[in-house]
Amino acid sequence: MVNVTSIQPRVIRRDEFAAYLAETEPHHKVVPAHHFGPDLKRRLFSPEQRKYGLLPWSKTHHDFQFRPGEVTLWCGINGHGKSQMLSMAMISLMSQGYRSCIASFEMKPVVQLERMMRQITMGASPTEEWVDRSLQWLSDRLWFYDQQGTVDTKAVLAVCKYAADRLEVKHVVIDSLMKCVRGEDDFNGQKAIVDELTAIARDTGLHIHLVHHVRKAGDENSPPGKFDAKGSGAITDQVDNVLIVWRNKGKESKARAGKDIDDRE
């Protein structure tokens, strides 16, 4: 059994990333095209450059990848498993060698870890030994920004920069967008923070996972689309990818009741 008390992960102090809160004047770099030649050749001819982060499910590997420098919006109805599926995706990304940081303003880190323990060990009741082993495995792969409730936009941006610069993190989760702005009707604030996040992703090479909600519909029987996202339409316009998480509760209810279901759904 691993002695978890021997693990001493680096603790992020508030004063350590205070510098990242400071605003800097924007500057533009104008360079000739040939300056990008080496990077272009690596992208075109190096197989390693085409290996990006994958979802946990093999059938998606040829259709979708998490590329560096992009923002993915995870969108869906409350209770349909956005955070749960994202947790599975982060475990998969860490197993692929990518360090990760989670900034959840809706769920405490210990609650997220409890869910992760079940996912990692593939059981509802993991043993203490497996919890210790899992924590050992996560010790240099996962960090949390421990802050719940509404958070200042500058702090969110600072966490992203700090994680990329100091911790060499490649994937950052922000759960959720509405905790980073003043309200659902603050369209300018929503547009501004998504714009900032896309800029940070491009500048640092991070892949940022942004959780968002959809508008309430008459029922939950139909999957929502990108145009159902709450707030400003600029949110889905600015991000690179939109993943819609929808749980087929009607089919689930039939299965639990022992009724015939169509597995092709």
Side-chain angles (χ1 to χ4, degrees):
M1 181 182 299
V2 177
N3 182 6
V4 73
T5 58
S6 65
I7 303 171
Q8 296 180 354
R10 178 173 170 76
V11 177
I12 303 173
R13 302 192 310 270
R14 288 182 180 274
D15 60 330
E16 281 191 297
F17 66 88
Y20 293 93
L21 289 169
E23 293 184 3
T24 57
E25 291 296 324
H27 60 281
H28 300 278
K29 296 180 180 179
V30 180
V31 295
H34 67 79
H35 171 81
F36 301 102
D39 289 338
L40 175 62
K41 289 181 179 180
R42 280 193 295 270
R43 288 179 65 90
L44 288 174
F45 308 122
S46 174
E48 292 300 317
Q49 290 297 312
R50 295 193 292 272
K51 290 183 179 179
Y52 303 129
L54 302 171
L55 284 162
W57 306 281
S58 59
K59 66 180 181 180
T60 67
H61 291 178
H62 294 292
D63 299 320
F64 181 79
Q65 296 178 332
F66 293 113
R67 295 170 295 220
E70 294 189 352
V71 177
T72 294
L73 191 74
W74 292 72
C75 203
I77 303 169
N78 281 338
H80 277 237
K82 293 187 300 297
S83 297
Q84 186 171 358
M85 289 191 69
L86 183 50
S87 175
M88 291 181 66
M90 298 312 292
I91 292 169
S92 176
L93 288 166
M94 286 185 286
S95 72
Q96 296 167 50
Y98 298 104
R99 289 181 172 182
S100 305
C101 178
I102 298 176
S104 175
F105 311 118
E106 300 186 355
M107 189 183 302
K108 290 183 176 294
V110 68
V111 178
Q112 297 177 74
L113 279 170
E114 182 179 4
R115 172 184 288 171
M116 278 187 163
M117 290 301 107
R118 296 191 176 103
Q119 292 173 324
I120 291 171
T121 62
M122 296 182 289
S125 302
T127 64
E128 185 174 353
E129 179 182 1
W130 274 107
V131 169
D132 288 344
R133 289 185 181 184
S134 300
L135 288 173
Q136 177 70 42
W137 183 75
L138 290 172
S139 63
D140 195 39
R141 289 177 170 88
L142 178 63
W143 284 263
F144 288 97
Y145 179 56
D146 188 10
Q147 173 69 47
Q148 284 75 53
T150 303
V151 66
D152 183 74
T153 299
K154 291 181 180 179
V156 176
L157 303 177
V159 169
C160 293
K161 294 175 184 176
Y162 180 90
D165 293 348
R166 300 287 293 276
L167 303 176
E168 299 182 353
V169 158
K170 300 302 181 184
H171 289 264
V172 170
V173 173
I174 299 172
D175 188 0
S176 66
L177 172 62
M178 287 307 174
K179 293 293 185 180
C180 306
V181 292
R182 290 177 297 178
E184 293 183 12
D185 58 349
D186 184 11
F187 292 173
N188 289 332
Q190 296 163 17
K191 180 180 178 180
I193 188 172
V194 175
D195 183 56
E196 290 272 15
L197 290 173
T198 56
I200 289 175
R202 288 194 304 269
D203 292 344
T204 62
L206 279 175
H207 193 106
I208 298 176
H209 303 259
L210 182 60
V211 179
H212 192 40
H213 304 293
V214 298
R215 300 182 184 92
K216 293 186 182 300
D219 57 53
E220 301 177 277
N221 296 325
S222 299
K226 63 178 289 187
F227 299 110
D228 295 310
K230 280 186 177 180
S232 170
I235 296 172
T236 54
D237 290 341
Q238 292 182 103
V239 298
D240 301 279
N241 315 294
V242 178
L243 297 182
I244 304 294
V245 179
W246 177 71
R247 186 173 182 173
N248 193 336
K249 292 193 173 183
K251 181 178 177 181
E252 185 179 39
S253 297
K254 289 180 181 179
R256 287 180 175 176
K259 298 180 180 179
D260 293 334
I261 56 175
D262 185 356
D263 285 330
R264 294 172 297 177
E265 287 187 54

